[in-house]
Amino acid sequence: MGVNWTRRETHNCGGFVITLLAVIFSCLVIGVTGQDGQAMTAEEKSKIRDQILEMFDHAYNSYMDYAYPADELMPLSCRGRVRGLEPNRGDIDDSLGKFSLTLIDSLDTLVLLNKLDEFEEAVRKTLRDVRLDNDIVVSVFETNIRVLGGLLGAHVMADVLKQRGERMQWYRDELLHMAKELGYRLLPAFNTTSGLPYPRVNLRYGVANPLSRTGTESDTCTACAGTMILEFAALSRLSGDTIFEEHARKAMDVLWEKRQRGSDLVGTVINIHNGDWVRRDSGVGAGIDSYYEYLMKAYILLGDKVYLKRFNTHYSAIMKYISQPPLLLNVHMHNPTVNVRSWMDSLLAFFPGLQVLRGDLKPAIETHEMLYQVTKQHNFLPEAFTTEFRVHWGQHPLRPEFAESTYFLYKATGDPYYLKVGQSIVEKLNAHARVPCGFAAVQDVRTGTHEDRMDSFFLAEMFKYLYLLFSEKSQLPIDIDDYIFTTEAHLLPVSLSTTRPSCHSNNTEPQAHEDDLFSYSCPSAQTLFPNNPTFAKTIRDSYKYLTGVGRAQQASPVRGIELPLHDTGLEPVEFLKSMGISLTPLTELISASQGSASQASHKGVFKFKLVAEVSQTPEHEEVVPLIVQLISPPFLGRTVLTAGPAKFGMDLTKQEHGVKGSIVKSVPYTACGYIENAVELQGHIALALRGDCMFAAKARRLQEAGAVGVIFIDHREGSSSAETPLFQMVGDGESTDDITVPLVFLFSKEGATLTAALQEHHNVDILLLPKERQLGKEKTDKLNIKFRLAKEGELVEGETESTTFQLVLEQSETDTEAASLTGDNQKTCTFPQKDPENSP
């Protein structure tokens, strides 16, 4: 069974505290030997550890040589980035405060990497050179986690070294005094009616001062308001001044109170004055991530069970709605069964590490393996990638979250596989990010181009996690189990839970929820996976070739393919079915051929063997071409776009006059998430981009939003009906009887014509109908006309003047016309006639 947390009663602010020390990981780690190959030898680990030290020296010395005292290094230009002297990069520059950011962020890294001489020198430089009263507007969130956290972590390390009597004997808590000064400079941000902080503050003038150049903001992100408690509480407990912890606690209370009570989820952006949600999408990545992290870690650091109860409540909601193993997809906080987007951002890579602390190893292993497969495909995690593992945003600013989760999973499992993962991170950094003056961010993982940027978190976090991954406890200058990592990987001692200044008790009780095995106990791998030392490998193997990279070719009597498809990406399967290729699940084949139990299936991943039978498309499934005809001025029916039909939805061939409406673009354009412009779409025909989820899923969402029809536009650039055969859109394998609106498909060239018309004229009316019923189209009929030669006015029996064409032939210089009509020849002529139904 799980080993219980060690608890000690306390009279202050929370009920009990936890003495962690080595409890978390000693409970988790079980004996594991080579599961994906041989275990790494001590010599191999030592070699990689030395390589990591050399890489850190290259980055840190480049900063000190070329950039200090600037905030950050520009590694391509080999100079420092000084705010105001370089082109403004928008919000990203709010982390720069002319306070030697990279130096402060790196201080406790120097200690952990046993660079104690460099640490002492760096502390002296910090005390001598760094000013915190600059007239500059900075991000409250970034300044808290990087600078305040950096000063606190460095103070703790300096104090430890001083207590040992070997170094820092001159130190008199100067870094703590600086941290307290900075804390007071951040406090004006909390002067709001709700208690949620402003996103920015002027270090010299605060917020309300006319000279502050800030204070007009009304919104902040959830993580921005909810990632203060560790640093502010540590500052209160180290300095004895309770004001910091009180303000941070109040902000956490507000976020908890403002959660959506039905789903127990929070949104991404909140109004700091009235507490209303501005953005209601909910996930575990950018904008929310460290709020959840700090609930769990506040419990560990401060011993207040309220934080754990809140975390457990949120975590249950995350696993119910957001977790779709191995994916973590944003949902709408008020309607959490609806995904609001079909891509993930790289910041969620921290979440497997948090799940390790929670004791939920299986989904941690699954998501981490998915992320590892993405790095195999692109070298690094793109800043955002789709559910089909295509690049959404190609940047990679050397983020450390994937290395962080790799470290925690290795600590939890002891599986040498994660050492190999760490080794691949080291190798890719050297191969693809190293430059003569440090390490440069990757501007686009598809091209490998660099960006003139080396963020301070690269030194603060990346090298800590990589060094710890390849180090034994005996090789470290501190007992790492005595500390908790902040979100910036700064080290705060868990002993702070016993240093509790008086504070107001927390009156916010979470709602009742069902506790699970590990709500209050240390996770035990033996309990989770009894008598199975290869449990991690067993979980990973289902996702090993998720992106298609690295799949081995194997001979098989039945030719097989694996399709890495997801719940929202089944379109290729149905497309194959429509071509007459029958598909059998791999598990069924295994059961039939081996008589064994079928392999466990995993949500979102489908494996198939092709039991191939290709047949001709039946005649009754012939694709009937449709059209999108622009009928409003100035087009007036003259612009006609060829479109493909769908096998579901309204049958336009049975609509005598087609379907008319004005067009509106869906938001999001892919219609794969919550439809944000439902009011605009009501009663109109929606435009939606193909891709990221199924046609049927898009159609349902748009129909529910009130659209009376949908035009899907191909996402493949340059496609056209002139060069590509039309096809019928297919459903999702389930019943599509609920979809009743008409659906048509335009290739990208025709789609570009339509969207350009909308952009130029704003109000564009169109008609959806079969091509054969095109409005204003001339029909061709054949009339048999007999010609005979006769005298003028001469009629034969049965002829009347009203039914007879009379052609009068006159003699000309060339008798060509007369000669052509000599004798009793009969000619058949074709005359165009207007369609009577459409004639004016």
Side-chain angles (χ1 to χ4, degrees):
M1 65 177 60
V3 180
N4 287 333
W5 297 105
T6 302
R7 299 176 181 171
R8 179 163 60 254
E9 294 300 323
T10 179
H11 298 291
N12 293 318
C13 307
F16 59 84
V17 291
I18 309 156
T19 303
L20 283 182
L21 303 178
V23 174
I24 294 176
F25 292 119
S26 63
C27 292
L28 280 168
V29 176
I30 63 173
V32 178
T33 55
Q35 298 173 7
D36 292 81
Q38 294 297 319
M40 194 172 285
T41 66
E43 291 74 20
E44 290 173 323
K45 291 173 67 175
S46 177
K47 183 177 179 181
I48 297 172
R49 189 168 61 252
D50 290 342
Q51 190 176 9
I52 294 166
L53 289 173
E54 185 279 329
M55 292 167 64
F56 174 83
D57 288 341
H58 178 62
Y60 179 76
N61 291 337
S62 292
Y63 166 74
M64 296 304 295
D65 292 343
Y66 301 114
Y68 182 80
D71 283 314
E72 288 182 344
L73 168 68
M74 298 172 67
L76 301 183
S77 304
C78 297
R79 68 172 188 267
R81 182 180 298 280
V82 179
R83 193 168 170 185
L85 299 184
E86 302 294 336
N88 189 288
R89 300 177 298 170
D91 291 350
I92 194 173
D93 280 341
D94 287 346
S95 60
L96 311 180
K98 297 183 179 179
F99 36 35
S100 301
L101 174 63
T102 299
L103 179 66
I104 293 176
D105 221 1
S106 305
L107 289 174
D108 56 0
T109 306
L110 290 167
V111 175
L112 197 63
L113 272 56
N114 276 300
K115 297 185 175 294
L116 303 184
D117 290 337
E118 291 89 339
F119 171 72
E120 189 160 359
E121 181 184 359
V123 171
R124 291 185 183 277
K125 283 186 185 327
T126 301
L127 300 179
R128 183 189 68 208
D129 300 337
V130 174
R131 294 179 60 90
L132 300 172
D133 63 345
N134 301 310
D135 179 11
I136 194 167
V137 176
V138 296
S139 161
V140 174
F141 167 77
E142 296 289 356
T143 305
N144 173 65
I145 65 171
R146 299 202 205 188
V147 185
L148 182 58
L151 291 171
L152 291 172
H155 163 70
V156 170
M157 294 297 103
D159 194 52
V160 168
L161 295 176
K162 180 180 178 180
Q163 296 302 322
R164 291 178 184 172
E166 299 174 0
R167 294 178 179 274
M168 305 293 295
Q169 296 304 300
W170 54 270
Y171 182 67
R172 298 293 183 270
D173 295 343
E174 290 90 344
L175 292 172
L176 179 59
H177 298 321
M178 289 183 69
K180 188 174 180 180
E181 177 191 348
L182 181 59
Y184 274 112
R185 293 187 181 280
L186 295 178
L187 277 182
F190 288 84
N191 187 23
T192 62
T193 52
S194 69
L196 297 171
Y198 281 96
R200 298 175 185 85
V201 67
N202 187 299
L203 289 176
R204 179 175 296 174
Y205 297 113
V207 172
N209 193 299
L211 300 175
S212 66
R213 305 188 305 283
T214 189
T216 59
E217 304 93 342
S218 60
D219 308 330
T220 193
C221 72
T222 302
C224 300
T227 312
M228 308 291 291
I229 187 65
L230 293 191
E231 291 84 0
F232 268 44
L235 179 58
S236 283
R237 299 185 183 207
L238 290 169
S239 69
D241 194 336
T242 63
I243 190 171
F244 306 108
E245 184 171 351
E246 289 169 357
H247 279 84
R249 181 184 291 267
K250 170 63 175 174
M252 296 290 270
D253 291 347
V254 173
L255 292 174
W256 171 254
E257 287 297 322
K258 295 298 181 178
R259 76 192 186 283
Q260 211 291 320
R261 300 301 176 100
S263 66
D264 284 320
L265 296 173
V266 293
T268 306
V269 177
I270 192 169
N271 185 291
I272 59 176
H273 301 298
N274 58 29
D276 291 341
W277 290 105
V278 178
R279 279 185 52 191
R280 295 175 173 84
D281 49 314
S282 186
V284 297
I288 302 179
D289 49 1
S290 47
Y291 163 65
Y292 294 135
E293 178 187 4
Y294 270 37
L295 281 173
M296 180 65 172
K297 290 183 176 180
Y299 170 61
I300 296 171
L301 181 69
L302 308 178
D304 190 336
K305 67 180 179 181
V306 167
Y307 292 120
L308 179 62
K309 287 187 176 182
R310 292 180 183 178
F311 174 80
N312 283 336
T313 300
H314 284 314
Y315 187 75
S316 296
I318 291 168
M319 298 311 292
K320 182 177 181 180
Y321 301 116
I322 295 169
S323 176
Q324 301 176 35
L327 310 179
L328 292 162
L329 297 176
N330 280 31
V331 299
H332 194 283
M333 62 182 289
H334 291 92
N335 186 10
T337 59
V338 176
N339 293 338
V340 298
R341 66 190 191 197
S342 57
W343 51 270
M344 296 165 280
D345 65 76
S346 63
L347 285 171
L348 62 74
F350 91 100
F351 198 67
L354 186 60
Q355 288 180 305
V356 169
L357 289 182
R358 174 61 168 71
D360 206 354
L361 293 185
K362 184 175 184 292
I365 293 168
E366 291 172 328
T367 298
H368 180 274
E369 183 62 23
M370 176 270 291
L371 296 169
Y372 184 40
Q373 297 304 319
V374 174
T375 66
K376 283 185 174 181
Q377 187 174 9
H378 302 297
N379 290 321
F380 301 104
L381 280 181
E383 197 72 333
F385 53 93
T386 70
T387 56
E388 296 171 348
F389 311 111
R390 296 196 301 265
V391 173
H392 186 70
W393 298 329
Q395 304 95 323
H396 174 72
L398 307 181
R399 292 202 185 277
E401 286 77 14
F402 179 63
E404 174 185 357
S405 286
T406 303
Y407 163 68
F408 278 109
L409 273 168
Y410 178 65
K411 290 281 285 185
T413 65
D415 190 338
Y417 176 83
Y418 296 108
L419 295 178
K420 296 294 185 182
V421 175
Q423 183 179 15
S424 75
I425 297 173
V426 171
E427 292 171 349
K428 287 173 180 177
L429 284 172
N430 270 324
H432 304 290
R434 187 169 183 138
V435 294
C437 294
F439 289 83
V442 179
Q443 192 168 46
D444 193 323
V445 296
R446 291 163 291 196
T447 63
T449 53
H450 287 136
E451 187 177 354
D452 203 2
R453 170 183 178 187
M454 188 180 82
D455 289 83
S456 68
F457 54 68
F458 181 60
L459 290 164
E461 299 183 68
M462 180 70 82
F463 291 106
K464 275 197 188 83
Y465 292 123
L466 289 177
Y467 186 77
L468 286 170
L469 181 61
F470 293 96
S471 299
E472 304 299 331
K473 288 182 64 174
S474 60
Q475 297 168 325
L476 301 175
I478 58 173
D479 186 346
I480 196 65
D481 293 327
D482 287 345
Y483 300 87
I484 189 76
F485 288 107
T486 69
T487 196
E488 190 78 3
H490 294 304
L491 297 164
L492 298 177
V494 294
S495 60
L496 287 178
S497 61
T498 62
T499 310
R500 302 184 69 93
S502 59
C503 59
H504 300 294
S505 61
N506 194 318
N507 297 319
T508 305
E509 277 297 318
Q511 66 182 36
H513 71 282
E514 185 178 348
D515 293 335
D516 60 26
L517 181 62
F518 301 119
S519 291
Y520 298 99
S521 62
C522 180
S524 164
Q526 179 61 27
T527 301
L528 287 168
F529 312 102
N531 303 314
N532 183 10
T534 63
F535 71 91
K537 181 180 186 300
T538 303
I539 297 169
R540 284 195 303 269
D541 281 351
S542 298
Y543 304 97
K544 196 167 187 177
Y545 302 123
L546 196 61
T547 64
V549 175
R551 182 180 292 108
Q553 299 295 326
Q554 296 180 347
S556 171
V558 182
R559 186 177 177 184
I561 60 172
E562 289 184 9
L563 302 175
L565 308 173
H566 301 278
D567 293 344
T568 54
L570 282 170
E571 181 186 327
V573 176
E574 292 301 317
F575 183 67
L576 289 173
K577 287 182 181 178
S578 71
M579 294 169 59
I581 300 176
S582 57
L583 300 164
T584 302
L586 181 63
T587 51
E588 292 180 16
L589 283 178
I590 293 173
S591 298
S593 62
Q594 300 177 359
S596 60
S598 60
Q599 293 180 349
S601 60
H602 291 266
K603 181 180 178 183
V605 180
F606 300 81
K607 296 181 180 180
F608 297 89
K609 289 280 186 179
L610 277 181
V611 185
E613 179 181 314
V614 182
S615 59
Q616 269 192 321
T617 304
E619 288 187 8
H620 69 270
E621 289 190 357
E622 181 181 354
V623 177
V624 176
L626 306 176
I627 59 167
V628 177
Q629 189 166 17
L630 282 65
I631 58 176
S632 57
F635 307 102
L636 301 176
R638 291 187 293 269
T639 300
V640 180
L641 309 172
T642 301
K647 285 189 175 182
F648 55 99
M650 181 187 292
D651 186 352
L652 285 170
T653 63
K654 298 179 181 178
Q655 305 298 314
E656 183 177 357
H657 302 295
V659 173
K660 177 184 175 183
S662 57
I663 54 175
V664 174
K665 264 190 178 183
S666 169
V667 179
Y669 195 17
T670 59
C672 287
Y674 172 74
I675 304 301
E676 299 175 17
N677 62 333
V679 174
E680 297 174 49
L681 285 173
Q682 288 182 7
H684 296 83
I685 295 174
L687 302 184
L689 189 67
R690 180 187 187 185
D692 292 342
C693 65
M694 298 194 64
F695 290 125
K698 298 171 189 279
R700 285 191 183 94
R701 290 191 184 98
L702 294 169
Q703 178 177 280
E704 290 170 2
V708 298
V710 182
I711 300 172
F712 298 109
I713 297 175
D714 197 4
H715 62 314
R716 296 175 301 148
E717 188 175 350
S719 64
S720 71
S721 60
E723 300 173 356
T724 308
L726 292 177
F727 66 90
Q728 295 187 82
M729 295 179 285
V730 294
D732 53 7
E734 304 295 334
S735 172
T736 52
D737 293 342
D738 58 316
I739 301 174
T740 58
V741 296
L743 313 167
V744 304
F745 178 85
L746 292 178
F747 288 105
S748 65
K749 284 188 177 179
E750 287 83 354
T753 300
L754 187 60
T755 53
L758 179 62
Q759 184 174 358
E760 183 176 356
H761 300 285
H762 304 296
N763 187 18
V764 177
D765 293 335
I766 57 105
L767 192 63
L768 305 177
L769 71 169
K771 194 169 188 177
E772 63 181 12
R773 296 183 191 166
Q774 177 180 330
L775 185 65
K777 178 182 178 183
E778 294 181 339
K779 291 186 176 180
T780 300
D781 293 326
K782 289 184 178 180
L783 299 176
N784 289 326
I785 303 176
K786 293 182 179 179
F787 289 92
R788 66 179 177 81
L789 292 178
K791 294 181 181 179
E792 185 176 358
E794 180 183 349
L795 300 175
V796 297
E797 186 178 354
E799 289 182 346
T800 64
E801 290 190 8
S802 63
T803 61
T804 303
F805 288 100
Q806 294 187 11
L807 302 178
V808 179
L809 303 180
E810 296 180 352
Q811 187 72 27
S812 64
E813 294 181 1
T814 61
D815 292 333
T816 306
E817 293 175 312
S820 67
L821 293 173
T822 56
D824 293 327
N825 295 336
Q826 292 185 349
K827 303 289 184 181
T828 300
C829 300
T830 300
F831 288 84
Q833 288 188 333
K834 291 279 187 182
D835 183 350
E837 293 184 9
N838 295 326
S839 298

